Amino acid sequence: MLARVRSAAVLGIDAYLVDVETDISNGLPTFATVGLPQGAVKEGRERVYAALTNTGYTFPLKRITVNLAPADIRKDGSAFDLPIALGVLAATGQVGGERLGGVAVLGELSLEGAIRPVRGALPVALAARGAGLDALVLPKENLAEAGVVQGLRVLGAANLAELADFLDGRSELPHAEVDVARLFEERARHDVDFAEVKGQAHAKRALEVAAAGAHNILMVGPPGSGKTMLARRLPTILPRMSLEEALETTKIHSVAGTLPLGESLVARRPFRAPHHTISDAGLIGGGSYPRPGEVSLAHGGVLFLDELPEFRKNVLEVLRQPMEDGVVTIARAAMSLSYPARFMLAAAMNPCPCGYHGDPQHACSCGPLGVQRYLARVSGPLLDRIDIHLEVPAVKYRALAEQGGGEPSEAVRERVDRARVVQRERFVGRAGVYANAHMAPRDIRHFCRVTDGADALLRTAISRLGLSARAYHRILKIARTIADLEGAADLQPKHVSEAIQYRTLDRRGVA
């Protein structure tokens, strides 16, 4: 007696189909699972046994062999419980197998036969559609998530008995109906807005420039100056996500298990703010079976590191490669997985350990050596990948007492969108370059043409402020973005002078 049930497993952020083959033959009662099953898959035989008996089905006291093909890829997770149970039922003739032909099934079983939600429903749905299957059956809680995939019937089951009735033709399962356009409209709204920020016009302008060119930004200022408040509003002025971006981001959150149950799509750009005690594996991803880290969960959005010097040095240093490549590769002895990690870094720090260096209202107790040591906790190679260094002073009482709100995020986003359109047209055909922040030196030479006045200003700044060649290229990138916001073709002195203001740590001689 042999039965085959189609299922799927997740590898990285993509899924592949798995054939769950169940053979029941005469012999001593055994239950063997082969095909590189890991811990949770092996334990599934106990859940399957209890679920079948508690639902009223007969569990055969024979030799049961379950093969998970392809057998050379390790299988992890509890999603194979349901297809294994169906394989046992189909092989013993307790349910009909006609409807299993073009259907993929996955789900975790409870001991009483309920079907529990699993990770990776969206990647599995995409894989099932790509393989030309007719339908996908999965837990009801995952119905909304997988339902965003068009061209595939997505069915939800609450328990094993309900699914068995469907396979025998006695009932139908509810199917997903997801309006993707309405989802984007409802979930693209933010709970915060730039208009809530009092004062800080210079800082808000710098964040607009950062958003327009996808520049990483570091804010330096005393406690309570609004650095965190500004950073949390940065996603509200980034361009809206496209469907392709939303699907890729949702796949990452689905695999990581951070997608709330019942939510279909990540329609807003992510904002991740890990605590400074995070490990390098938590930030980048890892584990014996690699999972996405914070840099991948921030893909398409903002990764905010508050109190930057308080992060451990080895944690900060592992950021350098994903910031450069936009992808994280985690290599293990058994496998190597890659996760997308194209994010904007927004970091914040105090100017010194006490936080009041340079503040006219408070005396700093750190001394020059203490300030230097504090700033040196952030390495030069990491600062090299941060285009904008911004001073955020304390907000004055007059600005706090103002009743009127500032410019709303929607108005700022319109300008950012226009600048991003210019950049996409500029970099057509250049792989991996879609914003000014990603320009290589040859792109800077080609696209950052300066007028005579701007060239003279740059020459003066480099000689008087002692700016490095690295700072020179950063200034040109930022000036290019400022010119794009104004719709200017060439870099003029006003664009360059504003860009120089955003290199605070270079002027201090720290970077």
Side-chain angles (χ1 to χ4, degrees):
M1 294 178 287
L2 178 67
R4 189 185 76 158
V5 180
R6 307 298 298 274
S7 188
V10 176
L11 188 65
I13 64 167
D14 296 312
Y16 62 97
L17 293 186
V18 174
D19 287 337
V20 180
E21 301 169 333
T22 305
D23 177 72
I24 301 179
S25 58
N26 293 326
L28 291 175
T30 58
F31 194 131
T33 305
V34 297
L36 290 184
Q38 301 306 301
V41 182
K42 293 178 181 178
E43 293 172 351
R45 61 189 177 190
E46 309 299 336
R47 293 190 293 271
V48 169
Y49 172 78
L52 290 178
T53 55
N54 289 330
T55 310
Y57 293 102
T58 301
F59 190 86
L61 297 178
K62 296 185 176 184
R63 179 183 177 87
I64 302 174
T65 304
V66 176
N67 179 45
L68 307 177
D72 59 342
I73 304 177
R74 60 181 284 176
K75 319 297 189 307
D76 192 32
S78 57
F80 292 110
D81 290 0
L82 188 56
I84 290 174
L86 291 180
V88 171
L89 293 177
T92 54
Q94 298 182 71
V95 298
E98 293 78 8
R99 283 193 168 186
L100 286 173
V103 176
V105 180
L106 73 160
E108 176 187 331
L109 284 175
S110 72
L111 299 185
E112 62 182 1
I115 302 176
R116 290 174 172 166
V118 294
R119 296 180 178 182
L122 177 59
V124 168
L126 291 170
R129 183 183 66 179
L133 295 183
D134 298 327
L136 170 66
V137 177
L138 73 176
K140 274 188 175 180
E141 290 85 351
N142 295 120
L143 200 59
E145 176 188 341
V148 301
V149 178
Q150 305 297 313
L152 176 73
R153 277 200 315 146
V154 180
L155 308 175
N159 53 64
L160 187 57
E162 185 178 301
L163 180 54
D165 288 342
F166 165 74
L167 294 176
D168 287 336
R170 293 191 294 270
S171 65
E172 294 295 326
L173 294 175
H175 64 280
E177 294 182 355
V178 178
D179 187 341
V180 177
R182 183 179 59 82
L183 271 178
F184 264 97
E185 183 65 28
E186 289 179 353
R187 296 181 180 172
R189 301 188 185 98
H190 292 271
D191 300 327
V192 295
D193 196 276
F194 245 46
E196 300 162 355
V197 180
K198 300 288 187 179
Q200 301 294 19
H202 176 63
K204 287 189 281 189
R205 167 65 176 176
L207 287 179
E208 179 181 342
V209 173
H215 300 287
N216 298 320
I217 184 170
L218 171 62
M219 293 177 283
V220 184
S225 57
K227 302 185 294 296
T228 302
M229 186 177 188
L230 287 163
R232 290 190 179 279
R233 283 150 182 78
L234 181 54
T236 68
I237 62 173
L238 292 175
R240 293 187 184 276
M241 299 183 79
S242 64
L243 178 59
E244 291 75 16
E245 287 179 306
L247 286 174
E248 186 172 41
T249 303
T250 306
K251 283 164 64 176
I252 298 171
H253 286 256
S254 176
V255 169
T258 59
L259 187 70
L261 288 178
E263 186 166 324
S264 305
L265 206 61
V266 177
R268 291 183 299 195
R269 296 200 175 270
F271 179 85
R272 305 293 298 185
H275 193 260
H276 60 76
T277 56
I278 191 172
S279 66
D280 51 356
L283 189 63
I284 296 298
S288 57
Y289 191 84
R291 295 289 185 189
E294 289 292 333
V295 296
S296 296
L297 295 173
H299 176 69
V302 175
L303 177 67
F304 178 52
L305 302 183
D306 201 4
E307 305 295 344
L308 186 66
E310 302 299 331
F311 284 80
R312 290 194 293 273
K313 193 173 185 64
N314 67 304
V315 173
L316 291 180
E317 292 309 301
V318 296
L319 273 176
R320 289 155 54 180
Q321 183 262 335
M323 288 174 67
E324 195 76 23
D325 300 336
V327 66
V328 169
T329 300
I330 305 171
R332 293 291 181 268
M335 67 180 68
S336 178
L337 298 179
S338 294
Y339 294 110
R342 178 70 75 182
F343 58 89
M344 269 186 65
L345 176 66
M349 60 182 286
N350 296 329
C352 66
C354 76
Y356 294 111
H357 178 67
D359 190 337
Q361 303 298 324
H362 300 83
C364 175
S365 59
C366 302
L369 186 59
V371 174
Q372 190 66 25
R373 286 177 175 170
Y374 183 75
L375 296 177
R377 293 183 188 177
V378 184
S379 68
L382 180 60
L383 285 174
D384 183 29
R385 290 161 173 80
I386 301 177
D387 290 346
I388 297 178
H389 308 154
L390 177 68
E391 287 187 350
V392 184
V395 184
K396 297 185 181 300
Y397 173 78
R398 180 180 299 177
L400 288 173
E402 287 180 356
Q403 297 299 318
E407 190 176 26
S409 296
E410 190 63 37
V412 181
R413 185 195 288 126
E414 290 179 3
R415 296 195 294 269
V416 170
D417 282 336
R418 289 195 295 269
R420 286 290 186 99
V421 169
V422 171
Q423 293 165 54
R424 284 196 296 270
E425 294 174 351
R426 175 184 298 138
F427 301 125
V428 168
R430 295 182 179 267
V433 181
Y434 66 90
N436 290 333
H438 311 131
M439 285 192 292
R442 64 187 181 93
D443 299 318
I444 294 174
R445 288 193 298 269
H446 184 69
F447 295 116
C448 298
R449 298 187 303 272
V450 296
T451 62
D452 292 340
D455 184 64
L457 179 60
L458 269 173
R459 191 181 306 113
T460 302
I462 290 175
S463 61
R464 291 189 179 180
L465 300 177
L467 300 181
S468 64
R470 180 177 65 215
Y472 169 76
H473 285 115
R474 293 293 184 269
I475 289 170
L476 286 177
K477 287 183 181 181
I478 300 167
R480 178 69 270 169
T481 301
I482 297 169
D484 290 342
L485 284 168
E486 293 188 0
D490 295 329
L491 306 187
Q492 301 171 12
K494 61 179 180 179
H495 305 143
V496 172
S497 62
E498 183 179 350
I500 292 172
Q501 296 178 40
Y502 298 142
R503 298 296 298 180
T504 301
L505 297 183
D506 284 328
R507 299 201 303 271
R508 291 182 182 178
V510 175

